[in-house]
Amino acid sequence: MTYCVGLLLNDGIVCLSDTRTNAGLDNISTYRKMFSFEEPGERVIVIMTAGSLSVSQTTLAELREAIEDPEATPETSIMLAPTMLKVAEIVGDRLAAVRAEIDDKMSAAQGASCSMIVAGQRKGGAMRLFLIYPEGNFIEATEDTPFLQIGEHKYGKPILDRVVRPETTLADAQKAVLLSMDSTLRSNLSVGMPLDLCVIETDACRVTMRRRIEAGDPQFRDMSDAWSNALRDGFGKIMI
Amino acid sequence: MTYCVGLLLNDGIVCLSDTRTNAGLDNISTYRKMFSFEEPGERVIVIMTAGSLSVSQTTLAELREAIEDPEATPETSIMLAPTMLKVAEIVGDRLAAVRAEIDDKMSAAQGASCSMIVAGQRKGGAMRLFLIYPEGNFIEATEDTPFLQIGEHKYGKPILDRVVRPETTLADAQKAVLLSMDSTLRSNLSVGMPLDLCVIETDACRVTMRRRIEAGDPQFRDMSDAWSNALRDGFGKIMI
């Protein structure tokens, strides 16, 4: 499985994904699930994927081909699309088509599926954050719910529900997604290190911070330990 | 949906369930999901249910009928069964039979399903805690994993993973299941107040504490607020 989360804040967008994929519990590998497309200062798009690797890899490959195609148009290339909404549509259509094709090859019972988070901004437009369903339709993050998650999203949702608001700072937002991931890592074996974290500051139209956090990363471990201690202390102080 | 959790500790068993059932989001009702069977000092059994109400109600009704049947045997009545393992088997068999029967009446796509937690002790035996799957098979809580959950279990798992050990006191255990429920209530609309909480102290062979926590219960609200503050304070103090 997978856990990916994206936050849409006043100051920017924060994205975090794990890297574990598995075909059964005895066949675990590391695959990047976060992909960025940039024309710095003009346009930035980050895509995170959860679900069948066969679907996500093919979809990403086709999106890249469409960008590189000399005959690319605003209808086919996410780097030429006039709006982020159009980007989400292109990704959704491509995802739905690939999924349907692969589904046809598989038994109905198995069914390959994949969902994606698409985040980004083009110069002159607003920052936007979409969740694309396997069927190609999508929803968008709003002020009321400024975060979207795909994959094993439930373990890490309580901390986001409590902490994340549009006015949350980018530093606090990074802390929130990392603690959300930490809870997921602890409670679900199928989500694993290393992690990919990126930040897109408002109106920068580029990825302003990008970090891979490896297993055993001392900073992440310290944060995780501090959070455990804070929870234990808090728990100890509560009277019922 | 539902959230039920049971803890098996050295000092006793703690069970907590919500009461929300829904047939679609616009048809929400309150139903008890925790049921106890007692011969105080001799035998205590608590059953919690998650899933299709039609399955759980029929299963419980049949279990009760089997107890009251004048020709009840240790093979059919959970109040006569020689061990808690046999109790789990009787419940599992009954659940699987009811589910299969109801499934036959429904389209395969819909499928009525239900899982249960069975907790208890008979005089002279050990306290035991089982999770019964819709198919009637079951697993048991152990020292390594002294808790079992059914229903919407993921939101409330991180706090249990961090806090609950066999040596946890019954007071801390109540706090842990209530905070686990609190996280679930906040993150998932389909789980709702009031709550049913019960404690079975080791070797008492009866329910030693039983409490219904209504919406707006001041003690629960204070605890929930204190936990929110503790999380926020802890979050604020962590450096990344």
Side-chain angles (χ1 to χ4, degrees), chain A residues 122-153:
Chain A
R122 63 181 174 82
K123 197 173 174 182
M127 287 189 310
R128 298 177 78 169
L129 180 67
F130 298 92
L131 190 166
I132 318 243
Y133 292 110
E135 292 75 18
N137 55 336
F138 48 82
I139 58 172
E140 184 171 2
T142 64
E143 278 205 5
D144 291 329
T145 309
F147 62 87
L148 294 172
Q149 306 166 287
I150 51 177
E152 280 290 348
H153 64 283

Side-chain angles (χ1 to χ4, degrees), chain A residues 161-162 175 187 228 235 238, chain B residues 161-162 175 187 228 235:
Chain A
D161 279 331
R162 287 176 199 268
K175 201 158 69 171
S187 291
S228 280
F235 183 83
I238 290 172
Chain B
D161 279 331
R162 288 176 199 267
K175 201 157 70 171
S187 291
S228 280
F235 184 84

